Amino acid sequence: MKAGLVIALAAVDALRAAGTGPRRRVVCLWTPDEEIGSKSSRAAIEREARRSAAVLVLEPGTGPRGKLKTARKGVGEFLLEISGRAAHAGVNPQQGVNAVHELALQIARVARFADPRRGITVNADVVAGGTRTNVIAASARAQVDVRCTRAADMRRIEARFRALRPILPGAKLRVSGGMDRPPMERRVAAQLFERARLLGRELGLRIEESFTGGGSDGNFTAALGVPTLDGLGGVGGGAHTPGEFVTTRSLAQRAALLALLLRTL
């Protein structure tokens, strides 16, 4: 992400130095909370997007060739909270309602919402419950990550989560959260990508496109119908790992491509 900031500033500086500034006003918007859902910055992102002709997102490119991102899955997070009833696991377990058992049943149920052929994934990734092995668990919870390719599927999956009901007698279930990042559909990026591909050819670069299951702030702008092209940032690998890296040679190439995009939009 730091590479993206460098690329943006270098592209603007290059245009100024060449005396061929962009035809349009350029707004550089840095957001600090994208990785945790952009809850504070989303309003600002959408406000700027609505008055923009295009949005260029400086997220990293895909893979060693730095493919641009023309489509992304929508992202949601649901919280399943179970309330049961505590009891002694050896003396009177029948008087308890095991929240962990209820949660396991609910996780198995929502896992069946997944449909890989339609690009729908459902994963319970953070789970907690119970206190001691000799106590019937009175509470349990799970955070569930959901990703969809189509907006219609997002609405359908959200309705299925809202319709969940307890399975074990005496258990209580609370569902919160939802789909908070709409999908970025390729049609919104198609013309911008073609422009980038042709400009890349002028620079001697082969510009390719990709689809990813990860979300970005570009999901918000694309959902508004504003032309959005993502993945214009650094080229590297190992995202979200201690070995994350960027190839320095790509920085000048990406800055040149971005400068041409800004000059011709």
Side-chain angles (χ1 to χ4, degrees), residues 148-182:
C148 301
T149 305
R150 303 174 180 86
D153 287 334
M154 289 181 63
R155 293 189 292 270
R156 184 171 59 86
I157 291 295
E158 186 153 23
R160 295 185 74 177
F161 269 89
R162 303 293 178 210
L164 289 173
R165 295 294 180 266
I167 298 172
L168 298 178
K172 296 179 181 179
L173 167 64
R174 179 175 179 266
V175 178
S176 58
M179 304 299 296
D180 60 2
R181 201 178 288 273

Side-chain angles (χ1 to χ4, degrees), residues 66-229:
K67 296 180 181 180
L68 303 187
K69 297 169 181 177
T70 54
R72 288 180 176 272
K73 285 187 177 183
V75 183
E77 182 181 303
F78 292 86
L79 176 62
L80 306 182
E81 295 177 284
I82 309 296
S83 296
R85 185 167 58 247
H88 195 291
V91 177
N92 58 338
Q94 71 282 357
Q95 294 181 13
V97 178
N98 196 314
V100 169
H101 291 186
E102 173 70 26
L103 182 61
L105 294 171
Q106 294 291 347
I107 290 173
R109 173 185 277 175
V110 301
R112 292 195 291 271
F113 296 171
D115 187 346
R117 291 177 300 176
R118 293 184 64 83
I120 301 170
T121 60
V122 179
N123 288 288
D125 294 313
V126 181
V127 179
T131 55
R132 293 180 58 84
T133 57
N134 64 345
V135 179
I136 300 297
S139 64
R141 56 187 289 164
Q143 292 173 268
V144 184
D145 179 276
V146 179
R147 305 200 178 222
C148 301
T149 305
R150 303 174 180 86
D153 287 334
M154 289 181 63
R155 293 189 292 270
R156 184 171 59 86
I157 291 295
E158 186 153 23
R160 295 185 74 177
F161 269 89
R162 303 293 178 210
L164 289 173
R165 295 294 180 266
I167 298 172
L168 298 178
K172 296 179 181 179
L173 167 64
R174 179 175 179 266
V175 178
S176 58
M179 304 299 296
D180 60 2
R181 201 178 288 273
M184 174 182 169
E185 299 184 10
R186 186 186 181 279
R187 58 182 175 77
V188 183
Q191 289 187 338
L192 278 177
F193 171 73
E194 183 60 19
R195 182 188 294 264
R197 190 183 66 81
L198 294 175
L199 291 173
R201 185 180 296 173
E202 293 180 20
L203 295 169
L205 303 175
R206 181 184 178 185
I207 304 299
E208 301 172 272
E209 65 179 308
S210 65
F211 166 78
T212 178
S216 83
D217 288 334
N219 289 58
F220 298 134
T221 62
L224 297 174
V226 181
T228 300
L229 185 59

Side-chain angles (χ1 to χ4, degrees), residues 241-254:
T241 73
E244 182 173 316
F245 69 94
V246 63
T247 57
T248 55
R249 187 181 69 173
S250 70
L251 297 176
Q253 296 172 342
R254 292 302 233 211

